[in-house]
Amino acid sequence: MDPCPFVRLTVESLALQLAAATRPSGSGIHPSSTPCYATLKIKNFPSQQAPLPLITAAAPEPSSSAAASFDIGPDALRGLLACSRPVLALKIRVFAGRTGRTCGVTSGKLLGTLQLPVDVAHAQGRACVYHSGWMKLGGGGEARLHVTVRSEPDPRYVFQFGGEPECSPVVFQIQGNIRQPVFSCKFTADRSNRSRSLPTDFNINNNRGWLRRTLSGHKDRVGRERKGWMIIVYDLSGSAVAAASMITPFVPSARSDRVSRSNPGAWLILRPNGVSISSWKPWGRLEAWRERGATDGLGYKFELVAETRGIPIAQGTMSAKKGGGFCIDDSSKDCALSAMSPVRGFVMGSTIEGEGRVSKPAVQVAAHHVTCMADAALFVALSAAVDLSVDACRLFSHKLRKEFSGDGDDLFL
């Protein structure tokens, strides 16, 4: 099982130095009080924004915190390396003012621009630094920008569900134009048995803290809950290597038809504990809910299980209608990691479709997080749980497809 070549391009250590600490005549810009930001753009990649700290000439070098990252995948790399000079152009535009757009126009005042060439000819094989230091901004002023641009190889395993998770699909590994089956999935929905979702041989004493948080506040709501969903991932030999089990039912909040953030549904992501083929232990816990207001999205939080506590490593929101991406990545603005998170760099990412759309999640997993097929299967199970949560958090005024009913009950409630 070989990974696909990826290269991560990171822009970090951004800082802005203006010419003087007094208000320039007629400019309306004061270095000590006016917020500044930068937009970073590479052709064929979405534009990114980052805040710009203002520093004086006597200040120390800026911190090495990442401002933006661009993931160059196999197709893009092949196209670049086929050129006589495989160079990307990184364009940075610096603005004074707050981020945002008014009537489709950027609200900030443009201070200047600069462009950096990024030669990726050797980026697959080694880490490269393209620039680290100060550069004068183009635009006629005396402003300078500090920036570090570097890249490093970031090989990843790529998987694709052959169908929607609730349809018990085969999962393929993708390598260029080759699709090789590596896992199969079995989805079940047993609404009649609340304990169905608890893993067999789950040690109650060692996981009491998890169960308190999971089952607290739960009451039977006849017909007003989505529960008992489980998806098991098998390897090619037929052995179960990972699972996602709905441990807390998804129920609507009082006088509402949506799952609230104050009472989210939850999944346990499970791995075999090596004792027997029917024995599992928790690896992670996923919570999901339906956000209110203009966002109207799927909110989620993922934690690694550590004894009786959780270590948050991903939290965010994606559009319930359009879908989006779930990721564990310290460079992603959508991941919202805390300062205490152990995550460094890219761990995994998965594409998720919105409500009513055919969803066949594509999953990327960093190669250094995979030592065997069972490791990759955990991320596949997690991706399935996120995808299924889109349906679990659908408004209760909507009917779900028959695969979710399990025992034949009508879910139009």
Side-chain angles (χ1 to χ4, degrees):
M1 186 173 73
D2 297 322
C4 296
F6 278 77
V7 169
R8 166 155 285 197
L9 182 69
T10 302
V11 182
E12 60 189 14
S13 304
L14 281 180
L16 180 64
Q17 188 180 92
L18 298 180
T22 58
R23 183 188 300 273
S25 176
S27 70
I29 301 170
H30 195 284
S32 64
S33 60
T34 302
C36 295
Y37 66 95
T39 62
L40 304 101
K41 176 66 178 175
I42 293 177
K43 186 178 180 180
N44 298 325
F45 286 85
S47 178
Q48 300 185 42
Q49 284 188 354
L52 266 180
L54 291 168
I55 65 174
T56 65
E61 289 294 297
S63 67
S64 59
S65 58
S69 62
F70 299 88
D71 294 322
I72 308 170
D75 293 340
L77 283 172
R78 277 194 297 269
L80 284 166
L81 295 176
C83 301
S84 57
R85 191 165 178 260
V87 176
L88 292 170
L90 171 64
K91 186 174 184 180
I92 304 177
R93 307 177 75 202
V94 176
F95 294 86
R98 300 192 181 278
T99 59
R101 300 176 73 87
T102 302
C103 299
V105 179
T106 302
S107 60
K109 176 183 175 62
L110 181 64
L111 296 181
T113 64
L114 61 83
Q115 187 164 297
L116 281 167
V118 178
D119 190 336
V120 298
H122 305 291
Q124 279 185 247
R126 65 171 189 260
C128 302
V129 177
Y130 305 99
H131 180 84
S132 184
W134 292 96
M135 296 184 71
K136 183 177 179 180
L137 276 180
E142 295 298 322
R144 297 196 307 160
L145 181 74
H146 188 282
V147 61
T148 297
V149 182
R150 61 180 178 84
S151 70
E152 57 187 349
D154 191 16
R156 304 174 185 180
Y157 293 101
V158 181
F159 304 95
Q160 175 82 57
F161 282 71
E164 296 173 284
E166 64 268 27
C167 296
S168 301
V170 170
V171 178
F172 298 89
Q173 184 185 354
I174 308 298
Q175 293 173 301
N177 296 323
I178 301 174
R179 289 166 52 91
Q180 178 182 1
V182 288
F183 301 115
S184 61
C185 300
K186 177 63 177 177
F187 175 79
T188 56
D190 185 358
R191 299 179 64 228
S192 62
N193 184 0
R194 183 171 61 189
S195 65
R196 167 66 179 84
S197 297
L198 283 172
T200 305
D201 200 29
F202 189 73
N203 191 314
I204 298 296
N205 293 325
N206 290 342
N207 295 276
R208 193 171 301 279
W210 282 94
L211 288 178
R212 275 199 299 268
R213 287 204 300 131
T214 296
L215 300 177
S216 62
H218 172 72
K219 299 178 182 179
D220 281 338
R221 295 170 172 86
V222 178
R224 293 284 289 176
E225 58 184 9
R226 292 163 182 162
K227 66 178 184 179
W229 299 3
M230 187 171 189
I231 186 165
I232 302 178
V233 181
Y234 299 89
D235 63 17
L236 294 181
S237 70
S239 299
V241 286
S245 179
M246 186 184 283
I247 193 70
T248 301
F250 286 68
V251 299
S253 59
R255 297 180 297 280
S256 170
D257 63 350
R258 67 175 61 221
V259 179
S260 69
R261 185 170 190 164
S262 61
N263 188 29
W267 300 77
L268 283 183
I269 312 303
L270 307 166
R271 68 190 314 163
N273 70 6
V275 176
S276 69
I277 60 174
S278 61
S279 184
W280 299 90
K281 62 181 178 181
W283 171 73
R285 184 176 187 272
L286 174 72
E287 291 183 348
W289 59 90
R290 185 73 173 251
E291 293 283 8
R292 289 184 175 276
T295 304
D296 190 28
L298 176 75
Y300 61 84
K301 177 182 178 181
F302 179 66
E303 302 174 328
L304 289 179
V305 175
E307 298 300 331
T308 59
R309 64 186 181 91
I311 303 173
I313 62 171
Q315 184 170 335
T317 304
M318 70 179 73
S319 170
K321 293 183 178 180
K322 297 180 180 180
F326 171 86
C327 69
I328 304 174
D329 183 351
D330 71 345
S331 296
S332 172
K333 301 297 189 295
D334 298 325
C335 202
L337 296 176
S338 70
M340 301 300 293
S341 171
V343 172
R344 297 293 179 267
F346 176 84
V347 178
M348 65 88 67
S350 177
T351 60
I352 306 294
E353 295 293 337
E355 293 177 342
R357 303 187 181 191
V358 175
S359 185
K360 302 177 182 180
V363 186
Q364 295 177 7
V365 184
H368 61 274
H369 286 285
V370 178
T371 58
C372 60
M373 291 293 287
D375 292 339
L378 286 168
F379 295 105
V380 170
L382 173 58
S383 299
V386 176
D387 185 88
L388 291 167
S389 293
V390 174
D391 294 290
C393 288
R394 196 165 189 179
L395 299 180
F396 277 71
S397 56
H398 290 273
K399 183 177 181 178
L400 300 186
R401 60 192 296 171
K402 60 181 178 61
E403 283 83 0
F404 293 110
S405 62
D407 54 10
D409 290 349
D410 190 356
L411 294 187
F412 183 58
L413 304 167

